[in-house]
Amino acid sequence: MSKNFEKMEDVLADDLFIAWYCREDESKVKEWENRIAANPQYQHLAQQATEFMNSLPATEKPVHAEKIEAALRNLNTRLDQTEETPVLPLTTTRSKRRWWMAAAAVAVFVIISSSLLLFDFSPKKSAYVTPYGQLEKHELPDGSVVTLNANSSVKLSGEWTGENDRELWLNGEAFFKVSKTKKKNRFIVHTGQLDVIVTGTQFNVVNRNNRTSVLLTEGSVTILTKDGKQTMMKPGDFVELDNNDLVQKKAVNPENITAWTDKKLVFEDTPMEKAAETIKDLYGVDVELSNQQARNIVLTAVMPNDNLEVLLHAIEASMGCTIARDGNKIIITGKQ
């Protein structure tokens, strides 16, 4: 069912958003992403809600049941007091109650999740998520830095200190600058098809649409596939898994692969169908190529990647095609 979000608090009070943020139920994660993709006007509110959740402080001490009940009683009392104020206009009362409901939902969520230790909202956060159309850079608990492309996420293992491996799971695309530790703990990036194992280095990983690739720009890494095969990489190497999960080394321009970290998209003899898939991945919109002329377009250009409208205008101007927007759908028509 479609919902109306007017404020960040409305998003925080939505159970589907909470399920998406926690990344526990893939069906709900997809449902939330589809909702936001279909309603791009809510993306800003969703980003605000995500930043709020990321900023929640750590509290790993158990919370006793009586404290949870006391907090709930206190919230209910405030809600009752809000409803008993007769001098406020109806619209103001409803707005105030909606805010209290959102605040109550967040407060109870924080209390219960802290009590059960379901989530790690400490300074070493357990997950980072970027919405469509945005890039974000984060420092990890060990001092390593990850830059996340749009529509991407990383989820960290619970232990990043001591002698354990530093592990995380990637969906989307990310560039890593890995810090070495005194004990040379391994840094492992898991994707659906392979693991990237390093101690200190810089590399780019893509895990989208059943396609996985790794570009090494500095240091050395080992690629470990699901069948146990290992591939050593040196700086400048680019590997990609084919449909049979076989690692293939290819010659590429590393600057083209990592251009997204500078908010640029590099198209090099790129068919429009592949460019359309990239736009969908990064901005959450559907792209329709309306005629054969549009499908015949091949892009070779460097274009801005921090604004969808500017990107579409650049494609339209450089390729002589016509681009129209109908809600969440982009329609590209080639010149006849």
Side-chain angles (χ1 to χ4, degrees):
M1 183 175 64
S2 179
K3 286 193 176 182
N4 260 342
F5 298 133
E6 298 178 1
K7 299 179 181 179
M8 178 188 72
E9 291 85 354
D10 297 334
V11 178
L12 289 169
D14 186 75
D15 57 349
L16 200 59
F17 167 77
I18 297 300
W20 169 83
Y21 182 85
C22 299
R23 315 296 289 191
E24 295 296 332
D25 186 326
E26 287 302 321
S27 64
K28 290 185 178 180
V29 167
K30 189 65 177 177
E31 187 177 348
W32 172 261
E33 291 175 348
N34 289 340
R35 177 187 291 178
I36 294 301
N39 299 276
Q41 68 272 23
Y42 296 144
Q43 288 186 9
H44 180 64
L45 294 178
Q47 174 65 9
Q48 286 183 323
T50 301
E51 291 173 355
F52 174 83
M53 296 298 288
N54 285 341
S55 70
L56 291 175
T59 172
E60 296 191 359
K61 296 180 180 179
V63 179
H64 296 296
E66 57 266 25
K67 289 189 177 181
I68 297 176
E69 292 177 3
L72 289 171
R73 285 197 300 270
N74 184 38
L75 287 167
N76 285 328
T77 299
R78 294 189 183 187
L79 288 170
D80 291 340
Q81 290 173 348
T82 302
E83 287 197 325
E84 290 172 0
T85 306
V87 295
L88 293 176
L90 180 60
T91 54
T92 304
T93 303
R94 286 178 176 171
S95 176
K96 190 171 182 180
R97 177 170 177 79
R98 184 187 301 116
W99 190 95
W100 272 112
M101 288 295 288
V106 174
V108 172
F109 170 74
V110 173
I111 292 169
I112 294 176
S113 62
S114 299
S115 174
L116 299 179
L117 299 182
L118 292 176
F119 312 104
D120 179 12
F121 292 124
S122 62
K124 54 182 182 64
K125 298 182 181 70
S126 61
Y128 300 90
V129 182
T130 53
Y132 290 113
Q134 297 190 33
L135 307 183
E136 290 186 359
K137 183 179 290 187
H138 300 282
E139 182 174 335
L140 302 178
D142 65 336
S144 300
V145 176
V146 57
T147 303
L148 282 176
N149 204 347
N151 184 28
S152 301
S153 67
V154 290
K155 184 176 180 180
L156 279 62
S157 61
E159 180 59 56
W160 273 60
T161 59
E163 299 181 357
N164 293 330
D165 290 335
R166 299 164 287 170
E167 297 183 79
L168 57 81
W169 288 258
L170 170 69
N171 281 308
E173 182 170 13
F175 185 85
F176 297 91
K177 292 183 178 180
V178 179
S179 298
K180 292 182 179 179
T181 63
K182 291 182 179 180
K183 296 185 178 181
K184 296 184 178 180
N185 308 65
R186 297 189 307 173
F187 186 103
I188 304 176
V189 179
H190 300 283
T191 73
Q193 295 176 292
L194 56 78
D195 297 333
V196 185
I197 305 171
V198 305
T199 53
T201 188
Q202 298 186 32
F203 58 100
N204 193 85
V205 184
V206 176
N207 178 30
R208 291 192 197 276
N209 303 319
N210 297 318
R211 181 175 67 89
T212 303
S213 65
V214 180
L215 169 72
L216 179 64
T217 62
E218 181 182 298
S220 62
V221 303
T222 300
I223 302 299
L224 180 65
T225 56
K226 291 184 294 186
D227 58 6
K229 293 181 180 178
Q230 295 187 12
T231 300
M232 301 295 296
M233 294 181 65
K234 62 182 185 298
D237 282 350
F238 176 83
V239 300
E240 189 172 48
L241 261 68
D242 64 15
N243 293 331
N244 296 316
D245 286 351
L246 295 176
V247 174
Q248 297 182 336
K249 287 189 177 182
K250 298 183 178 181
V252 297
N253 183 340
E255 293 182 356
N256 290 353
I257 302 295
T258 60
W260 66 268
T261 62
D262 293 321
K263 299 182 179 180
K264 297 176 183 177
L265 265 180
V266 177
F267 297 110
E268 190 172 10
D269 294 329
T270 305
M272 181 56 79
E273 287 186 339
K274 186 174 181 180
E277 182 179 281
T278 298
I279 294 171
K280 179 179 180 179
D281 286 340
L282 299 182
Y283 290 96
V285 294
D286 291 324
V287 182
E288 177 185 314
L289 306 181
S290 67
N291 58 8
Q292 187 60 44
Q293 287 82 358
R295 288 185 283 275
N296 290 340
I297 293 175
V298 177
L299 290 173
T300 297
V302 179
M303 297 185 175
N305 189 32
D306 55 352
N307 186 294
L308 177 59
E309 297 302 326
V310 174
L311 172 61
L312 295 177
H313 180 73
I315 294 175
E316 187 176 44
S318 62
M319 303 311 300
C321 55
T322 300
I323 299 180
R325 187 163 186 173
D326 181 11
N328 198 48
K329 179 183 288 187
I330 305 299
I331 303 170
I332 301 177
T333 304
K335 186 181 294 184
Q336 305 242 358

